[in-house]
């Protein structure tokens, strides 16, 4: 009986953590898919529900003099761009949406989306019980890929 109690006390926290991780992984994956599929479909409401209102999406670009510049988009600019058509002109066969979750720690998560001609590195926060994207750092793929 004592051995069984010790076993349950040792295993139960890991079992609870696993179920939380499964639910969190699902919520993170859904937010990432709402973001990328909403963009491809031109569905402003879908992408908006994945974004924290203070989201910052950034890309580092190099100008003609070889100097780095930071390009930025806000949540509202993403929503408005999506409503205006977003990625609807991207052929369905080219609409990649591969989500890889790198890490989840408490209320923070870091996944990556392999999209059609770019890669998005996301930071999500669990905000009022929902996983929302707060940061995106993205990079265009070379044209040969």
């Amino acid at each position: 009986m004592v051995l069984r109690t010790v076993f349950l006390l040792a295993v139960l926290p890991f079992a609870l953590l696993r179920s939380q991780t499964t639910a969190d992984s699902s919520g993170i994956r859904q937010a990432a898919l709402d973001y990328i599929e909403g963009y491809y479909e031109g569905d402003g409401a879908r992408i908006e529900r994945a974004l924290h209102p203070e989201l910052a999406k950034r890309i580092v670009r190099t100008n003609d003099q070889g100097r780095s510049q930071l390009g930025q988009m806000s949540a509202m600019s993403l929503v408005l761009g999506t409503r205006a058509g977003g990625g609807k002109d991207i052929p369905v066969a080219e609409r990649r949406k591969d989500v890889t979750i790198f890490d989840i720690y408490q209320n923070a998560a870091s996944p990556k989306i392999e999209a059609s001609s770019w890669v998005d590195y996301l930071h999500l926060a669990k905000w009022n019980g929902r996983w929302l994207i707060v940061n995106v750092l993205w990079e265009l793929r070379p044209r040969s890929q």
Side-chain angles (χ1 to χ4, degrees), residues 12-75:
L12 188 58
F14 294 107
L16 293 173
L17 182 60
R18 179 175 294 145
S19 67
Q20 178 189 4
T21 301
T22 300
D24 287 336
S25 294
S26 178
I28 293 160
R29 186 170 307 285
Q30 189 58 57
L33 290 173
D34 283 344
Y35 164 80
I36 193 64
E37 290 176 352
Y39 177 74
Y40 287 146
E41 297 163 2
D43 186 341
R46 186 168 181 193
I47 197 171
E48 186 171 19
R49 78 173 167 238
L51 306 178
H52 186 279
E54 295 182 37
L55 169 129
K57 181 172 181 174
R58 296 181 174 102
I59 185 170
V60 176
R61 298 183 189 261
T62 305
N63 68 17
D64 296 340
Q65 291 80 36
R67 309 251 333 155
S68 296
Q69 297 177 322
L70 194 60
Q72 300 188 97
M73 288 183 261
S74 67

Side-chain angles (χ1 to χ4, degrees), residues 100-141:
T100 303
I101 299 173
F102 292 130
D103 195 23
I104 305 168
Y105 182 73
Q106 296 184 12
N107 294 315
S110 198
K112 171 176 96 170
I113 299 174
E114 297 272 350
S116 61
S117 61
W118 67 95
V119 176
D120 285 325
Y121 293 93
L122 312 175
H123 286 140
L124 282 79
K126 197 167 192 180
W127 186 262
N128 296 323
R130 290 184 46 234
W131 286 99
L132 298 177
I133 303 167
V134 296
N135 291 311
V136 180
L137 181 62
W138 65 292
E139 190 69 45
L140 290 168
R141 292 182 191 285

